[in-house]
Amino acid sequence: MDFKLGSVIRKIREDKGYTREELCEGICHINTIGNIEGNRTSPTFELLRMMAGRLGESVDVIIRSAELEKNAFYVQQKMQLEKYAEAYDLDGCEAVLSLIDDDLYTKLLPAEQQFFDRVQVVVLLGSYQDVEKAYALAKKSLYKTYKKDGHFTREECLLINLLLSMKQSQKNVELAKKALKWIRKRDNYVQDVYAFILLINGLVMLSYMREEWFELLDYAVTGEKMALKLDKSRFIPNFIFMQGLATYKLMIDINFGLSEMKRAIDYAILIRQLDNYKDLCEYAKKHNINLT
């Protein structure tokens, strides 16, 4: 067997939120898992079968995925797509997506398909404003893997966040809260902080729209702490502003609330987030708050 099987097993395990201890329990020694995932040894077929069963994947899918990782074209296009998605370069994303044909797509792990689906959803929303098509794709993609067992993968969390941004239905709200709870209870070293921030940012905006000020304050405070932990500065102005707004609306400390909203606006200018700066000013205006 190809030693690269270990990389695929590790990716599936991390995507599904399993620790090495949880994967090896009753199957093998934890050091064996470490050696396999480090591509220092190959699993026997029987061991691979047992690990695949625990991870909810077939042996065939894992082997095909390992073979795909040797495909230089695929690896290059995936890396390029990740780069474009991080930079929110929608034209670049669309160009790469056009190169992934159906034959290649069907060979991917479901979680890998979800990554490509998620980027396609962002393109549909950002370039074409086709909310209906984007929502249908995000929902279909989520249920490729989502099971009502309390576990959430990274891609599931990110797809749930997109669904919530498009439709604030009770079902989507409950999914987002369950996913957030799942990440929160994980050990620090396996927590997906980025997925956590995106989910909590979605719930912050939902609480703002519903004027649920206590929930807004709780989510915004937690969101800022996690954004600082991951050094995701682009989220910080929004979290600071919403803390200030909630504090102001709840009349906990009006002056502190005003100063926090001002600090958020200054921070947005400092990191050159002009669109965010405009949004924060509009939020203040909507609630008749003068920050000059």
Side-chain angles (χ1 to χ4, degrees):
M1 287 185 186
D2 194 310
F3 284 139
K4 295 298 181 182
L5 282 170
S7 298
V8 175
I9 291 168
R10 178 178 179 177
K11 176 171 175 51
I12 296 171
R13 176 181 65 77
E14 290 179 343
D15 282 345
K16 298 201 173 188
Y18 284 95
T19 63
R20 284 181 177 177
E21 289 84 355
E22 289 169 335
L23 176 56
C24 75
E25 186 179 358
I27 293 178
C28 63
H29 194 277
I30 189 170
N31 290 344
T32 303
I33 296 290
N35 287 328
I36 291 170
E37 291 189 347
N39 296 314
R40 292 182 291 275
T41 188
S42 295
T44 64
F45 183 81
E46 181 61 20
L47 180 54
L48 178 60
R49 184 187 65 79
M50 288 190 288
M51 288 192 295
R54 180 155 293 173
L55 293 170
E57 296 290 351
S58 70
V59 171
D60 179 59
V61 166
I62 291 176
I63 292 173
R64 283 192 289 111
S65 297
E67 291 173 347
L68 194 59
E69 289 299 319
K70 297 187 292 183
N71 183 324
F73 171 78
Y74 167 71
V75 172
Q76 181 183 20
Q77 296 308 315
K78 182 184 176 186
M79 289 176 60
Q80 195 65 50
L81 187 59
E82 288 171 343
K83 179 181 175 182
Y84 286 142
E86 177 68 21
Y88 197 65
D89 182 343
L90 298 183
D91 290 337
C93 288
E94 192 166 12
V96 173
L97 288 169
S98 69
L99 299 174
I100 307 298
D101 59 27
D102 290 343
D103 182 58
L104 179 56
Y105 179 85
T106 56
K107 293 177 182 177
L108 302 177
L109 282 167
E112 293 282 298
Q113 291 181 357
Q114 286 174 325
F115 165 68
F116 286 91
D117 293 343
R118 176 168 58 82
V119 177
Q120 182 66 59
V121 168
V122 173
V123 170
L124 286 168
L125 291 172
S127 296
Y128 299 99
Q129 293 77 51
D130 193 338
V131 178
E132 184 177 352
K133 190 172 181 180
Y135 189 86
L137 176 57
K139 185 176 181 181
K140 179 181 177 181
S141 187
L142 172 64
Y143 285 97
K144 287 179 179 179
T145 59
Y146 174 64
K147 298 173 184 176
K148 298 177 181 179
D149 59 0
H151 286 68
F152 291 87
T153 69
R154 177 189 180 90
E155 288 301 331
E156 286 171 357
C157 289
L158 300 182
L159 285 165
I160 289 168
N161 184 62
L162 283 170
L163 288 169
L164 181 62
S165 71
M166 290 183 277
K167 186 181 292 186
Q168 293 77 46
S169 66
Q170 190 58 36
K171 185 175 182 179
N172 288 341
V173 173
E174 288 174 3
L175 272 174
K177 289 183 176 180
K178 285 179 181 177
L180 191 67
K181 184 178 179 180
W182 157 251
I183 299 173
R184 259 179 166 162
K185 73 179 182 181
R186 304 299 288 165
D187 292 336
N188 288 336
Y189 72 96
V190 292
Q191 269 190 353
D192 191 330
V193 181
Y194 181 64
F196 184 98
I197 289 173
L198 286 178
L199 280 170
I200 208 161
N201 190 59
L203 290 168
V204 160
M205 296 313 298
L206 177 69
S207 300
Y208 167 74
M209 288 187 289
R210 292 182 171 182
E211 299 190 355
E212 295 171 343
W213 306 120
F214 282 110
E215 280 200 355
L216 178 60
L217 183 59
D218 179 47
Y219 287 137
V221 169
T222 305
E224 184 189 4
K225 289 178 182 176
M226 297 301 279
L228 288 168
K229 178 179 178 181
L230 193 61
D231 194 26
K232 287 292 182 181
S233 59
R234 68 188 179 94
F235 293 95
I236 293 174
N238 199 50
F239 290 140
I240 294 174
F241 184 92
M242 292 304 174
Q243 288 177 60
L245 179 61
T247 302
Y248 177 90
K249 286 289 187 178
L250 291 167
M251 294 187 288
I252 295 171
D253 188 332
I254 291 176
N255 289 330
F256 177 75
L258 289 170
S259 68
E260 284 296 272
M261 286 185 275
K262 289 176 184 176
R263 184 165 74 91
I265 288 173
D266 290 342
Y267 195 98
I269 294 171
L270 179 66
I271 61 175
R272 299 181 180 180
Q273 284 192 347
L274 297 183
D275 287 342
N276 197 8
Y277 163 77
K278 292 176 183 176
D279 288 340
L280 299 182
C281 290
E282 283 299 313
Y283 299 153
K285 184 179 178 181
K286 178 181 177 181
H287 291 276
N288 299 312
I289 298 172
N290 184 1
L291 296 176
T292 57

